[in-house]
């Protein structure tokens, strides 16, 4: 692949870093506005030079077009037409954003690093806000959770400070942090220099602190298992294992010392509730029933909340499952198409990839599966789409333009 231009690295960086604005702007979020602004340039370039832009990802283009048209064709099933129309528009914009990342990466000088620094920027800018929220229990106006939030454990309400930053609730913020972990791992395992090493370690420590302090069982389980994949890769690469063990022991000791009461609270929640959740189980069972009742075609975009609540009497219509959402709302065909999309990039990684690409496959795969059961309304959020397309760039060896090739 010929050398690219730094303007496309900047586009990639902006597309990811704008995610820090979260729900600011509601429908007119900055990342969506930027996607719309650069879409004419991508479309024009794809028409002029089809073999130099998105030709390599023809399946992705056709699948996303099918997904959009499929959603539009089921608009007649909309319970709330305004809500469904809004979701269709978001789907179109996010699909364009997905393709724009592929298009820009094809022309960038170092697309993997541009995307990595975008995710690191999201984390770095969110940390001061998160710390302020923990210290003051004051939250931004887009937060769905109110000041004075509590946890109910063993019949007792316990005060629960939390951080949601600009993402609406702590689950959404935790999910974004988990989406960013593969980029953090890349920063630590494949650094461009000392700056990457220092920043990567500091941000990883802060992410761990915030996820634990937010006290979400799903996010903590995701963090633990994601860290396990990182330790596995670190050992496999033959790095300083003694240093790693020392860092882990000191880190866990510091966390337990400063957040000891919180650890006890989390353990009590696991003891009281385990990993079970009646609301999530109800959504899973009745969501699958709704899928069957729709003959596998889906209940329609934007209809999950009203149909699951009014028709299936789900107490809290929030699936907390990225795969359940796509299956119930869009049906069997879109679900199969999405699975094929994942298989496509995995095959490229396994057949042509370097150890770097295969390690990123482990990291990104774990993040998708584990962080995919923390939040809800995944497919209406730009963060989900940007994470998946970031994984595409990390897994595809065509974009391995890292300076120190020995690290790959």
């Amino acid at each position: 692949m010929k050398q690219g231009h730094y303007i496309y690295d900047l586009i990639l960086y902006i597309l990811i870093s704008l995610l820090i604005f979260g729900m600011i702007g509601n429908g007119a979020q900055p990342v969506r506005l930027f996607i719309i602004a650069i879409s004419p340039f991508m479309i024009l370039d794809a028409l002029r030079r089809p073999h130099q832009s998105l030709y390599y990802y023809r399946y992705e283009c056709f699948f996303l077009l099918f997904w959009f048209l499929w959603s539009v064709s089921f608009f007649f099933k909309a319970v709330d037409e305004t809500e469904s129309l809004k979701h269709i528009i978001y789907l179109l914009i996010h699909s364009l954003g997905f393709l724009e990342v592929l298009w820009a990466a094809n022309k960038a000088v170092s697309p993997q690093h541009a995307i990595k620094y975008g995710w690191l920027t999201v984390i770095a800018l969110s940390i001061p806000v998160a710390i302020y929220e923990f210290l003051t229990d004051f939250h931004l106006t887009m937060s769905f959770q109110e000041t004075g939030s509590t946890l109910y454990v063993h019949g007792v309400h316990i005060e629960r400070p939390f951080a949601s930053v600009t993402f609406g609730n702590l689950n959404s913020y935790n999910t974004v942090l988990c989406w960013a972990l593969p980029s953090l791992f890349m920063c630590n395992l494949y650094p461009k220099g000392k700056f990457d090493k220092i920043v990567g370690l500091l941000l990883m420590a802060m992410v761990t602190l915030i996820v634990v302090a937010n006290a979400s069982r799903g996010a903590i389980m995701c963090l633990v298992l994601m860290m396990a994949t990182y330790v596995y890769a670190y050992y496999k690469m033959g790095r300083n294992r003694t240093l790693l063990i020392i860092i882990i022991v000191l880190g866990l000791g510091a966390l337990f010392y400063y957040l000891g009461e919180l650890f006890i609270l989390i353990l009590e929640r696991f003891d009281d509730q385990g990993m079970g959740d009646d609301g999530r189980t109800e959504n899973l069972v009745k969501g699958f029933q709704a899928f069957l009742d729709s003959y596998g075609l889906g209940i329609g975009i934007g209809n999950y909340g009203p149909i699951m609540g009014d028709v299936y009497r789900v107490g809290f219509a929030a699936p907390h499952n990225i795969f359940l959402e796509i299956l119930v709302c869009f049906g069997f065909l879109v679900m199969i198409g999405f699975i094929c999309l994942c298989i496509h990039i995995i095959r490229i990684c396994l057949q042509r990839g370097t150890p770097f690409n295969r390690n990123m496959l482990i990291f990104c795969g774990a993040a998708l599966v584990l962080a995919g059961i923390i939040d809800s309304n995944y497919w209406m959020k730009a963060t989900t789409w940007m994470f998946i397309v970031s994984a595409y760039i990390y897994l595809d060896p065509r974009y391995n333009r890292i300076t120190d090739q020995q690290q790959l």
Side-chain angles (χ1 to χ4, degrees), residues 23-93:
M23 298 183 65
I24 294 175
N26 294 319
Q29 294 171 8
V31 65
R32 290 175 181 155
L33 296 179
F34 186 72
I35 289 171
I36 294 171
I38 65 173
S39 60
F41 300 98
M42 177 192 69
I43 294 171
L44 185 61
D45 186 63
L47 293 175
R48 285 179 174 177
R49 293 180 288 269
H51 291 276
Q52 298 178 17
S53 52
L54 294 172
Y55 183 79
Y56 189 70
Y57 292 111
R58 287 167 294 172
Y59 172 76
E60 286 72 13
C61 294
F62 287 121
F63 168 63
L64 292 176
L65 178 60
F66 169 78
W67 190 346
F68 172 71
L69 295 177
W70 181 266
S71 301
V72 172
S73 67
F74 278 80
F75 183 69
F76 73 92
K77 299 177 67 174
V79 176
D80 183 337
E81 293 184 355
T82 301
E83 187 69 14
S84 292
L85 180 60
K86 180 176 69 175
H87 283 214
I88 288 174
I89 294 173
Y90 293 168
L91 178 62
L92 175 61
I93 295 173

Side-chain angles (χ1 to χ4, degrees), residues 185-198:
F185 294 163
M186 175 184 172
C187 192
N188 285 304
L189 293 174
Y190 304 95
K192 288 187 70 174
K194 290 184 178 180
F195 175 81
D196 275 19
K197 291 181 180 179
I198 295 172

Side-chain angles (χ1 to χ4, degrees), residues 112-113 186 189-190 237 239 353-360 394 397 399-408:
Q112 291 168 342
H113 282 303
M186 175 184 172
L189 293 174
Y190 304 95
M237 292 174 66
R239 297 292 176 86
T354 66
F356 163 76
N357 302 116
R358 297 189 183 98
N359 279 335
M360 294 307 294
Y394 288 150
Y399 304 115
N400 290 353
R401 301 172 213 166
I402 297 178
T403 304
D404 185 0
Q405 292 296 321
Q406 293 181 348
Q407 293 181 339
L408 299 177

Side-chain angles (χ1 to χ4, degrees), residues 343-354 357-358 361 395 397:
I343 291 174
H344 180 209
I345 189 60
I346 290 173
R347 287 184 61 186
I348 291 174
C349 177
L350 295 178
Q351 292 176 358
R352 311 172 199 168
T354 66
N357 302 116
R358 297 189 183 98
L361 172 60
L395 270 56

